[in-house]
Amino acid sequence: MLTAAFDALALILDPSRLVFMLLGVGVGLVVGVIPGLGGVVGMSLLLPFVYGMDPHAAIAMLIGMAAVIATSDTFPSILIGVPGSAGSQATILDGYPMAQQGQAGRALSAAFSASLVGGLIGALVLFAILPIARPLVLAFQSPHLFMFTVLGLCFVGLLSGKYPFRGILATLLGMMIAMLGSAPTTVTFRYVGDSLYLMDGIPLAILAMGLFALPEILDLLADNRAVSRVKTLSSGWKEGIKDTVRNRWLVLRSSALGVTIGAIPGLGGSVVDWLSYGQAVQSAKDKTRFGQGDVRGVIAPESSNNAKEGGSLIPTMLFGIPGSGTTAVLLGGLILLGIQPGPSMLTSELSITLTIVWTLALANVFGALACFALSRPISRLSTVPASKFAPFLLVIMLVGAYQNTQQWGDLIAFGVIGLIGWLFKAYDWPRAPVLIGFVLAPSIERYLTISSSRYGWSWLMDPLVILIGIIAVAVLIAGIRAKQKGLGGAS
């Protein structure tokens, strides 16, 4: 395996292939910086160009793009409070307040260094686990996946601020929004009336931008001020790296969680950052700073968000089961190149598999270095008055919203959800639980239906189900106790 790994590295470092990886890194940087696009859009942009290419070069370009988005999407999340992609939503909770306090440099530096470590850990785990991945992935059945989604819901107590009951209601609202459209286990349509647009449900990107982006932009315009409330940026670039080193165990825990969740199809990047943020709050002795500019709230989701890329490639390559939306498009790229995902990825296509591993590691290094190099000029955006950049950003968000289904319903949904998000912010209701309920509702319904039809109720006695249930109850109790002590998490 080591000999094959070094042979694959030699293939990647060939200048004719290395340039394609750097091209993918460049596309990933641009796509990540623009709010509302994300890995699926970036992968879709590159996919038409891979036909007829050398497979190693094509894979290097696609993986290079996907790996860097998880780093570059930090820019809009921290600087303007807009999620760059689905995986950078939790970063807003503490990264954006740090930018408002003039600590954008420190927040970005901590995010990039944590992302680099998380990405490298994801690549390392992917390489180490390949020989034993098949039995591990197959060990998770529908009851276990159902319990993982329940565990995700239990973190709502840690993300509901001072009002846990409001957090529960917000979660239910998110679940109700997720129920619009077709049911995940049947062909019936729910709560759509005569609307053709609602039959496919509300896109996640529109919900995320509406809840977090539009309210912030409207408030900035109303106040006519910049994101940062101070005139100059802090010189905390070195401090951000030191923060990552000081919180190395948090980085390792979050990276391990990211790899694990990434390897479970159906969970993926939309929830891993929330789970990581929740475990960071739960494990912290001092929870008072979370949601107000705690650097740990940046480090945890960013390290897990990058590490999950390595985990999501495990089911994609070995079983043809995409671990995320990005890897779903990658799966199409592999088939387009004549590569059939499955056991052959560990035999006849081993060089392609190892090319993916090396590209994942190298792209994280190049991407993090590029983000560090660009962070100073880009971070100055946080000191620019909102009236100068908000109109451009609103246009970008409208275009990003419209490109989801290219129907006018996208713009209407964006406006309605933006109004809801603004009301939530104005009346101090937590917005994060809405997203968690929305993301997890389809999985809960699907896995519960499959589990009950396949196993009856005997699956409740499964040892792993019981273990995950105990952890979920412990997390829920910890959240309630934290509120009783006045140590609420972020809203």
Side-chain angles (χ1 to χ4, degrees), residues 197 200-203 206 400-411:
Y197 171 76
D200 291 327
I202 301 295
I206 289 179
Y402 182 73
Q403 63 85 31
N404 279 273
T405 65
Q406 297 184 6
Q407 298 183 44
W408 289 107
D410 286 329
L411 301 181

Side-chain angles (χ1 to χ4, degrees), residues 9-274:
L9 178 61
L11 288 172
I12 286 296
L13 294 180
D14 183 281
S16 64
R17 298 185 178 100
L18 186 61
V19 68
F20 283 103
M21 184 188 74
L22 295 177
L23 176 61
V25 168
V27 174
L29 286 170
V30 174
V31 171
V33 168
I34 299 175
L37 296 187
V40 175
V41 175
M43 194 72 75
S44 301
L45 290 174
L46 293 180
L47 200 59
F49 299 99
V50 304
Y51 184 76
M53 285 182 60
D54 168 53
H56 295 88
I59 292 298
M61 183 172 66
L62 293 175
I63 297 296
M65 187 282 307
V68 174
I69 284 181
T71 303
S72 60
D73 63 5
T74 306
F75 279 117
S77 297
I78 289 177
L79 295 179
I80 52 182
V82 178
S85 68
S88 64
Q89 296 158 6
T91 306
I92 295 174
L93 299 183
D94 283 286
Y96 184 62
M98 289 182 70
Q100 291 178 307
Q101 297 160 17
Q103 300 186 67
R106 179 186 176 189
L108 289 171
S109 179
F112 297 149
S113 52
S115 295
L116 173 59
V117 175
L120 292 176
I121 290 176
L124 179 62
V125 171
L126 175 61
F127 175 74
I129 208 171
L130 283 175
I132 58 173
R134 185 178 181 86
L136 284 177
V137 174
L138 290 178
F140 291 110
Q141 303 297 325
S142 56
H144 310 132
L145 299 176
F146 169 74
M147 292 305 299
F148 273 118
T149 56
V150 172
L151 176 62
L153 281 181
C154 289
F155 277 108
V156 166
L158 294 169
L159 299 171
S160 299
K162 298 174 289 186
Y163 309 105
F165 183 67
R166 293 184 182 183
I168 294 173
L169 292 179
T171 305
L172 293 175
L173 175 63
M175 298 178 74
M176 290 174 62
I177 295 175
M179 296 177 78
L180 291 171
S182 59
T185 56
T186 66
V187 293
T188 58
F189 295 94
R190 301 176 297 196
Y191 315 119
V192 299
D194 297 326
S195 173
L196 293 176
Y197 171 76
L198 290 177
M199 287 184 177
D200 291 327
I202 301 295
L204 174 62
I206 289 179
L207 184 73
M209 287 195 299
L211 281 176
F212 289 99
L214 194 55
E216 298 298 340
I217 297 300
L218 292 177
D219 280 354
L220 288 176
L221 282 173
D223 296 340
N224 193 26
R225 61 173 178 82
V227 170
S228 178
R229 299 181 186 275
V230 298
K231 295 287 186 181
T232 58
L233 296 173
S234 69
S235 56
W237 305 97
K238 293 182 180 178
E239 188 65 23
I241 298 176
K242 292 179 181 178
D243 285 326
T244 300
V245 175
R246 279 194 291 264
N247 293 281
R248 54 189 175 275
W249 296 116
L250 176 61
V251 173
L252 292 175
R253 286 199 313 271
S254 301
S255 299
L257 179 63
V259 173
T260 303
I261 298 300
I264 302 174
L267 295 184
S270 300
V271 70
V272 67
D273 56 329
W274 295 116

Side-chain angles (χ1 to χ4, degrees), residues 364-376:
N364 270 284
V365 174
F366 288 127
L369 293 177
C371 286
F372 270 114
L374 296 171
S375 56
R376 286 182 183 272

Side-chain angles (χ1 to χ4, degrees), residues 145-161 164 167-168 171-172 175 267 271 274-279 281-282 432-433 435-437 440-441 444 465-483 489-490:
L145 299 176
F146 169 74
M147 292 305 299
F148 273 118
T149 56
V150 172
L151 176 62
L153 281 181
C154 289
F155 277 108
V156 166
L158 294 169
L159 299 171
S160 299
I168 294 173
T171 305
L172 293 175
M175 298 178 74
L267 295 184
V271 70
W274 295 116
L275 290 174
S276 182
Y277 187 89
Q279 64 87 22
V281 176
Q282 183 185 17
L435 272 176
I436 290 187
L440 294 184
I444 286 179
V465 168
I466 295 174
L467 176 61
I468 300 173
I470 292 173
I471 296 173
V473 172
V475 168
L476 191 61
I477 293 174
I480 294 173
R481 291 185 63 185
K483 300 304 176 295

Side-chain angles (χ1 to χ4, degrees), residues 246-397:
R246 279 194 291 264
N247 293 281
R248 54 189 175 275
W249 296 116
L250 176 61
V251 173
L252 292 175
R253 286 199 313 271
S254 301
S255 299
L257 179 63
V259 173
T260 303
I261 298 300
I264 302 174
L267 295 184
S270 300
V271 70
V272 67
D273 56 329
W274 295 116
L275 290 174
S276 182
Y277 187 89
Q279 64 87 22
V281 176
Q282 183 185 17
S283 61
K285 293 182 179 178
D286 178 16
K287 302 177 174 64
T288 56
R289 288 290 300 160
F290 280 96
Q292 303 176 35
D294 194 314
V295 72
R296 293 172 296 179
V298 174
I299 290 173
E302 287 301 313
S303 54
S304 64
N305 189 30
N306 276 55
K308 71 104 175 33
E309 296 297 331
S312 64
L313 287 170
I314 295 173
T316 304
M317 292 191 300
L318 297 187
F319 310 110
I321 303 173
S324 64
T326 303
T327 53
V329 185
L330 173 64
L331 187 63
L334 291 173
I335 296 173
L336 193 64
L337 292 166
I339 302 167
Q340 189 61 45
S344 63
M345 297 296 288
L346 295 177
T347 54
S348 60
E349 303 291 355
L350 182 60
S351 64
I352 293 292
T353 302
L354 295 175
T355 295
I356 291 174
V357 176
W358 277 116
T359 303
L360 189 63
L362 293 175
N364 270 284
V365 174
F366 288 127
L369 293 177
C371 286
F372 270 114
L374 296 171
S375 56
R376 286 182 183 272
I378 292 180
S379 63
R380 298 188 186 280
L381 290 173
S382 65
T383 63
V384 177
S387 58
K388 295 184 182 299
F389 72 84
F392 170 76
L393 194 60
L394 283 172
V395 172
I396 292 294
M397 288 190 295

